């Protein structure tokens, strides 16, 4: 759950609830297929005096990571990523089907985990009246297991919109997050809380964000 602050010229709040199942599949004795899916439910305020608030499902992101089966500390995966329009409301969806490559790599050493996630997508079909999609996502992350159940993470979920003007091209939050391992009924669960100032953002983009996750 993300609560973005000071969005638009009216400096209001945007709410985004991401439902993110991750499905691991065994391809054979040497390879796994990891299938993360991100479905965002977005509550968007008016971005200007002439705009209206909107609510709906944003573009769904589906990634396919082919990863070698290994017990070593280094893990990597590559594959395609697909973005599917779930809403044609202009402020919460692109109106396009988009695809491109994606990759992830991480190294676990003792209590430290360092890694990066990347993808680049281009629109291939959709509403011709809408601006084409040419966008990169880059997420470096560093995590430290402070105790057996407490993990501290710093990450940045950077977006580069190559179709935008220079001043509006980059969205760069710097997220500081703590995660506590506990239980949800009979199941193990990780409870997370974080805060993120934005070091770069478009004129109508947020300036900071509060995040909670299970």
């Amino acid at each position: 759950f993300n609560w973005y602050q000071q969005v638009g010229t009216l400096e209001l709040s945007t709410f985004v609830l991401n439902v993110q199942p991750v499905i691991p599949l065994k391809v054979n004795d040497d390879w796994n297929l990891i299938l993360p899916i991100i479905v965002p439910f977005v509550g968007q305020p008016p971005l200007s005096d002439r705009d209206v608030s909107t609510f709906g499902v944003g573009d769904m992101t589906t990634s396919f990571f082919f990863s070698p089966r290994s017990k070593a500390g280094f893990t990597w995966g590559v594959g395609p990523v697909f973005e599917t329009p779930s809403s044609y409301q202009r402020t919460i969806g692109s109106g396009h089907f988009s695809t491109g490559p994606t990759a992830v790599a991480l190294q676990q050493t003792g209590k430290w985990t360092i890694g990066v996630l990347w993808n680049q997508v281009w629109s291939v079909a959709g509403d011709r009246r809408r601006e084409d999609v040419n966008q990169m996502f880059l997420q470096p992350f560093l995590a430290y297991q402070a105790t057996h159940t407490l993990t501290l993470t710093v990450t940045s979920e950077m977006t580069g919109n190559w179709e935008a003007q220079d001043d509006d091209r980059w969205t760069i939050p710097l997220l500081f997050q703590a995660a506590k391992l506990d239980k949800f009924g009979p199941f193990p669960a990780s409870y997370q809380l974080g805060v993120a100032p934005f070091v770069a953002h478009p004129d109508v983009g947020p300036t900071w964000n509060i995040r909670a996750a299970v």
Side-chain angles (χ1 to χ4, degrees):
F1 178 82
N2 294 281
W3 182 27
Y4 297 101
Q5 288 294 299
Q6 299 178 343
V7 177
T9 58
L10 303 178
E11 296 190 349
L12 300 176
S13 299
T14 292
F15 300 92
V16 181
L17 174 64
N18 285 325
V19 179
Q20 301 183 198
V22 179
I23 306 168
L25 302 170
K26 178 181 177 181
V27 177
N28 54 39
D29 291 339
D30 298 319
W31 290 89
N32 288 328
L33 173 61
I34 312 299
L35 178 61
I37 303 170
I38 303 176
V39 182
F41 295 86
V42 184
Q44 182 78 283
L47 300 180
S48 67
D49 292 332
R50 296 172 294 176
D51 201 3
V52 296
S53 59
T54 55
F55 176 81
V57 181
D59 294 350
M60 181 176 70
T61 302
T62 305
S63 303
F64 295 83
F65 292 104
F66 292 92
S67 177
R69 294 170 62 87
S70 173
K71 295 182 179 180
F74 181 70
T75 303
W76 62 272
V78 295
V81 59
F82 301 92
E83 291 192 355
T84 307
S86 302
S87 171
Y88 284 91
Q89 300 184 67
R90 288 181 174 271
T91 58
I92 64 174
S94 67
H96 289 285
F97 293 89
S98 304
T99 187
T102 186
V104 64
L106 61 92
Q107 173 70 43
Q108 293 176 296
T109 304
K111 295 183 177 182
W112 292 92
T113 301
I114 186 171
V116 63
L117 170 65
W118 167 86
N119 69 49
Q120 166 69 41
V121 295
W122 297 271
S123 52
V124 294
D127 190 344
R128 295 183 178 180
R129 298 168 297 178
R130 302 287 300 276
E131 183 178 287
D132 289 338
V133 175
N134 179 8
Q135 184 168 284
M136 182 190 72
F137 176 81
L138 180 65
Q139 183 184 9
F141 53 89
L142 175 67
Y144 175 70
Q145 187 178 357
T147 69
H148 183 66
T149 60
L150 178 65
T151 300
L152 306 176
T153 302
V154 59
T155 182
S156 181
E157 300 169 351
M158 296 182 277
T159 301
N161 179 6
W162 307 120
E163 296 293 327
Q165 299 296 324
D166 290 344
D167 293 342
D168 289 336
R169 178 164 296 171
W170 289 100
T171 301
I172 305 178
L174 187 59
L175 177 65
F176 300 91
Q177 184 169 270
K180 181 71 166 61
L181 184 63
D182 208 318
K183 289 186 176 181
F184 185 81
F187 303 104
S190 175
Y191 296 90
Q192 304 171 22
L193 185 65
V195 62
F198 282 72
V199 297
H201 60 86
D203 288 340
V204 297
T207 59
W208 60 280
N209 170 33
I210 294 176
R211 174 177 297 180
V214 178

